[in-house]
Amino acid sequence: MKFYIATDHAGFHYKDQVKEYLSSKGIEVIDLGPETADRVDYPDYGRKCAEAVRDDAGSFGIVICGTGIGISMAANKVPGIRAALCHDAYTATMARAHNDAQILAFGERVVGMGVVQSMIDAFVSTEFEGGRHERRVEKINAIDEAYCE
Ligand code: RB5
């Protein structure tokens, strides 16, 4: 299992802890930045992570900003990417089980590291259920296709 991770300055302080947690679980993690806590724009990093995940079939991503809102919005603009803004283990589980999300998004100013670890545990251990959910995910992909001429 391979994860790409990217944040803005407001999610930067969690990045190393999340990388260490993924590594402790034997999961490969590739850091797409930023390298310092200097102010940056979350669309640049949401896009970077989403493009990396899109170009590396079977990989996953984690994006973090202050709320998780802006960086997940940006990631979701990349066609084929489903980034899920999660707040707890339940939403992280459902993001995989029902939505086949490839990217887990959350806010450093919203959730503590204990909750972050529980979301990661849920996200990496849950498979997409397929079935009726497959049709719905395909309908999400069809929206991308309709606007990508
Ligand atoms: C940065 O101050 C903040 O706006 C950003 O991290 C994020 O919360 C945006 O959605």
Side-chain angles (χ1 to χ4, degrees):
M1 198 171 213
K2 186 200 287 183
F3 270 79
Y4 293 92
I5 187 169
T7 74
D8 73 353
H9 54 285
F12 177 80
H13 314 92
Y14 272 4
K15 183 152 61 69
D16 281 349
Q17 294 178 70
V18 169
K19 284 167 60 183
E20 277 165 28
Y21 190 65
L22 289 169
S23 297
S24 77
K25 295 172 77 74
I27 295 169
E28 182 184 0
V29 53
I30 297 169
D31 187 342
L32 299 176
E35 290 175 4
T36 71
D38 292 349
R39 209 166 280 277
V40 292
D41 296 330
Y42 59 78
D44 297 333
Y45 288 90
R47 177 178 181 170
K48 201 171 180 183
C49 186
E51 289 178 342
V53 169
R54 185 197 58 174
D55 293 345
D56 186 356
S59 69
F60 295 93
I62 290 182
V63 292
I64 317 167
C65 66
T67 59
I69 296 171
I71 204 162
S72 59
M73 285 179 167
N76 275 314
K77 292 290 183 188
V78 174
I81 288 300
R82 292 175 300 282
L85 175 55
C86 296
H87 299 96
D88 48 35
Y90 177 72
T91 47
T93 299
M94 298 310 280
R96 289 289 309 127
H98 285 192
N99 311 116
D100 200 17
Q102 310 103 323
I103 296 185
L104 171 64
F106 51 86
E108 180 179 308
R109 296 172 179 163
V110 180
V111 288
M113 263 312 290
V115 172
V116 168
Q117 291 182 356
S118 72
M119 291 194 294
I120 291 170
D121 290 345
F123 196 82
V124 303
S125 64
T126 305
E127 296 285 338
F128 179 47
E129 286 177 9
R132 68 186 188 280
H133 304 296
E134 183 88 54
R135 181 180 73 249
R136 294 162 184 163
V137 169
E138 279 168 11
K139 286 188 175 184
I140 294 175
N141 294 335
I143 299 170
D144 280 338
E145 283 159 23
Y147 285 90
C148 291
E149 299 285 289

